């Protein structure tokens, strides 16, 4: 039996978040009975529970701002090592998601090495580029990334662009890397168009099928909401722009309100969050088009879900996004008027043009990004 300890996601059951979605699917769709998962979960207690046949262990972390995620990973790793020792766990492996605890990893790596436990790390995207952090925190993330890469036995990259960056940027450590992407669910929503859930949601939000553009994700500057909102306001479309995101007590939301005056454009609709998976899938399927403005990170889960569910996808023209979608999407840049013109053009697309993009996007996901494929690759890796 291989015992795989996964640290760094907020835990399961998943709500939003790439790592959480990954861990949920990895445990739920497990094929190999010789693997036992142990998942750390961010919580306000230290309870343990079983979910998807995985052992989930809660880690209680005080609310200490930006350092909370760092402290959580350290406590989860410390708890994992203690558990392995106390219970004489056979064939353990530690997989840390993201490079948050680099300055603290050396001692833990020494201990893991002594116990014969391999340390795997998912380097995630460029956390040090995120504009929500101040200069000091960004410097910390960069140093942390460097040290996690130095001490990892294997780096599991979810993007070939990230893998290339690591090999070039940290060549002095001769990093050992492998590429395994994120996955997506290609099945259609279980809800039909007359289902009470979707009908009532549309009624409440004053929306109609195929009469809106959509974005789903964290409301942060590096996802380029400012560009998308500004350009949408410039466009002549009669369709709505639906933003499924949490903006409560969000300073960036207030900043954008002041900067763009989006509240005067009735087409722009912030509709809160949607945690019901089937409902969210149906909302994606019924969107006329999907905007994806992420420019920091690797293979973004919300992008793969959009390609799997939405007919027209409009992505920021960066390497991470092009690597995933290839010719199954349209691309915009941050030049003034670029996205606005694209929106006006898309509004005139024929059914054939839309079907062509949709077909290419689904084929891309089907070939490279099914959970079936991703989980098999992970299980093969863990069993090695």
């Amino acid at each position: 039996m291989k015992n795989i300890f996964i640290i760094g996601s907020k835990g399961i059951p998943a709500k939003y978040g790439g790592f959480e979605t990954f861990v949920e699917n990895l445990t739920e769709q497990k094929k190999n009975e010789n693997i036992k998962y142990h998942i750390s979960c961010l919580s306000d207690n230290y309870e343990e529970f079983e979910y998807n046949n995985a052992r989930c262990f809660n880690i209680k972390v005080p609310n200490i701002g930006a350092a909370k995620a760092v402290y959580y990973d350290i406590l989860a790793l410390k708890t994992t090592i203690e558990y392995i020792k106390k219970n004489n766990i056979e064939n353990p492996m530690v997989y840390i998601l993201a490079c948050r605890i680099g300055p603290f990893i050396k001692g833990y790596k020494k201990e893991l090495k002594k116990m014969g436990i391999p340390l795997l790390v998912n380097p995630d995207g460029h956390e040090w580029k995120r504009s929500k952090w101040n200069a000091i925190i960004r410097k910390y993330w960069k140093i942390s990334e460097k040290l996690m890469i130095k001490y990892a036995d294997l780096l599991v990259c979810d993007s070939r662009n990230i893998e290339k960056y690591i090999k070039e940027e940290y060549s002095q450590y001769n990093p050992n890397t492998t590429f395994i992407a994120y996955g997506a669910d290609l099945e259609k929503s279980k809800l039909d168009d007359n289902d009470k859930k979707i009908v009532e949601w549309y009624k409440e939000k004053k929306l109609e099928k195929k009469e809106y553009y959509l974005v789903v994700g964290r409301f942060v500057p590096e996802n380029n909401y400012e560009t998308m909102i500004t350009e949408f306001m410039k466009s002549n479309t009669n369709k709505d722009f639906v933003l499924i995101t949490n903006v409560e007590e969000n300073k960036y939301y207030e900043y954008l309100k002041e900067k763009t005056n989006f509240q005067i454009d009735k087409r722009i609709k912030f509709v809160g969050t949607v945690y019901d998976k089937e409902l969210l899938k149906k909302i994606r399927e019924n969107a006329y088009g999907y905007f994806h403005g992420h420019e920091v990170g690797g293979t973004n889960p919300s992008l793969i879900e959009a390609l799997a569910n939405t007919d027209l996808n409009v992505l920021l023209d960066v390497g991470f996004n092009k690597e995933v979608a290839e010719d199954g999407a349209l691309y915009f840049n941050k030049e003034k008027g670029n996205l606005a013109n694209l929106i006006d053009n898309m509004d005139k697309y024929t059914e054939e043009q839309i079907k062509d993009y949709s077909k290419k996007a689904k084929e891309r996901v089907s070939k490279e990004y099914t959970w079936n494929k991703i989980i098999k690759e992970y299980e093969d890796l863990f069993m090695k």
Side-chain angles (χ1 to χ4, degrees):
M1 180 69 75
K2 286 283 182 98
N3 285 277
I4 314 297
F5 291 79
I6 300 180
I7 292 165
S9 79
K10 290 186 179 75
I12 46 177
K15 286 188 178 178
Y16 279 149
F19 284 140
E20 292 72 32
T21 304
F22 158 66
V23 175
E24 174 102 36
N25 281 282
L26 188 70
T27 53
E28 186 181 36
Q29 300 187 45
K30 187 182 80 166
K31 312 279 189 289
N32 195 318
E33 291 307 314
N34 293 315
I35 292 174
K36 175 72 179 176
Y37 289 113
H38 305 255
I39 312 295
S40 73
C41 302
L42 183 63
S43 185
D44 57 0
N45 61 62
Y46 282 104
E47 289 170 12
E48 278 190 20
F49 61 97
E50 284 273 322
Y51 181 79
N52 288 345
N53 291 316
R55 173 186 156 263
C56 301
F57 59 101
N58 286 345
I59 301 291
K60 184 179 177 179
V61 186
N63 202 354
I64 48 174
K68 186 176 181 178
V70 176
Y71 191 39
Y72 165 55
D73 284 4
I74 292 168
L75 279 182
L77 182 54
K78 190 169 176 279
T79 305
T80 292
I81 292 170
E82 285 167 1
Y83 180 87
I84 291 168
K85 282 179 179 174
K86 188 181 170 186
N87 297 281
N88 296 314
I89 299 297
E90 291 180 5
N91 300 316
M93 185 182 282
V94 172
Y95 185 24
I96 300 178
L97 307 173
C99 296
R100 288 185 283 256
I101 56 171
F104 311 93
I105 198 67
K106 189 178 178 181
Y108 291 109
K109 175 61 172 50
K110 207 173 172 183
E111 205 167 347
L112 289 169
K113 195 174 181 182
K114 206 191 296 177
M115 294 162 72
I117 301 171
L119 173 63
L120 279 64
V121 172
N122 185 314
D124 198 15
H126 299 313
E127 190 66 33
W128 48 274
K129 277 188 177 178
R130 294 193 189 277
S131 49
K132 66 174 176 175
W133 306 122
N134 64 36
I136 294 162
I137 295 174
R138 283 208 290 269
K139 194 174 181 185
Y140 171 86
W141 289 131
K142 183 66 175 159
I143 292 165
S144 188
E145 177 183 87
K146 179 183 175 181
L147 293 169
M148 290 299 278
I149 285 160
K150 181 180 178 180
Y151 290 107
D153 293 306
L154 178 67
L155 295 144
V156 185
C157 307
D158 58 56
S159 154
R160 294 200 188 278
N161 273 267
I162 288 285
E163 187 176 28
K164 183 172 178 279
Y165 155 77
I166 284 166
K167 284 191 174 292
E168 288 171 1
E169 181 81 357
Y170 301 107
S171 56
Q172 71 268 35
Y173 302 131
N174 194 22
N176 182 21
T177 67
T178 189
F179 164 72
I180 305 178
Y182 277 117
D185 173 12
L186 268 166
E187 280 180 31
K188 287 274 191 190
S189 171
K190 293 183 178 73
L191 309 182
D192 63 37
D193 287 336
N194 300 315
D195 193 283
K196 192 180 171 188
K197 271 186 190 175
I198 189 74
V199 169
E200 286 185 355
W201 193 84
Y202 280 156
K203 192 178 174 186
E204 184 193 327
K205 311 299 179 190
K206 298 184 172 64
L207 293 168
E208 287 178 37
K209 178 182 175 178
K210 297 296 178 187
E211 289 298 323
Y212 58 92
Y213 288 93
L214 177 70
V215 66
V216 181
R218 287 189 302 167
F219 199 68
V220 290
E222 61 271 15
N223 290 353
N224 286 292
Y225 283 97
E226 186 172 342
T227 299
M228 292 188 288
I229 287 170
T230 307
E231 290 292 309
F232 190 88
M233 288 173 77
K234 280 184 201 167
S235 78
N236 299 312
T237 185
N238 292 320
K239 293 177 172 57
D240 292 312
F241 181 18
V242 175
L243 299 100
I244 295 181
T245 184
N246 191 348
V247 293
E248 285 168 25
E249 295 173 27
N250 187 309
K251 286 177 188 171
Y252 179 55
Y253 177 78
E254 296 306 323
Y255 158 80
L256 272 192
K257 208 174 186 180
E258 203 173 305
K259 180 93 188 279
T260 66
N261 280 321
F262 64 73
Q263 67 278 9
I264 64 169
D265 190 328
K266 287 180 181 172
R267 299 171 301 172
I268 294 170
K269 295 180 176 177
F270 283 86
V271 296
T273 51
V274 178
Y275 290 131
D276 183 318
K277 285 180 188 174
E278 292 303 320
L279 177 59
L280 184 58
K281 199 187 279 191
K282 192 68 184 169
I283 294 164
R284 286 183 185 279
E285 286 171 10
N286 285 352
Y288 183 77
Y290 185 88
F291 296 145
H292 186 78
H294 291 48
E295 68 177 312
V296 175
T299 303
N300 190 273
S302 66
L303 169 55
I304 304 171
E305 284 159 15
L307 293 170
N309 296 306
T310 312
D311 291 331
L312 278 179
N313 290 281
V314 192
L315 324 178
L316 182 67
D317 192 351
V318 291
F320 303 116
N321 296 336
K322 292 193 96 161
E323 172 192 327
V324 176
E326 291 185 348
D327 62 351
L330 296 114
Y331 297 91
F332 72 93
N333 59 44
K334 293 196 262 183
E335 285 174 22
K336 285 182 179 175
N338 180 269
L339 179 56
N341 289 333
L342 194 53
I343 292 166
D344 289 341
N345 285 334
M346 285 191 301
D347 272 5
K348 298 169 195 160
Y349 274 14
T350 63
E351 210 171 300
E352 280 310 304
Q353 282 174 296
I354 294 169
K355 270 184 187 169
D356 187 50
Y357 274 109
S358 182
K359 184 170 174 275
K360 284 175 182 169
K362 311 295 174 278
E363 281 172 358
R364 183 81 188 121
V365 175
S366 183
K367 188 183 171 194
E368 296 295 339
Y369 297 101
T370 62
W371 279 119
N372 215 25
K373 179 178 187 284
I374 305 309
I375 287 159
K376 185 181 186 311
E377 287 173 3
Y378 264 104
E379 291 188 356
D380 288 349
L381 175 68
F382 293 148
M383 290 311 290
K384 275 184 209 168

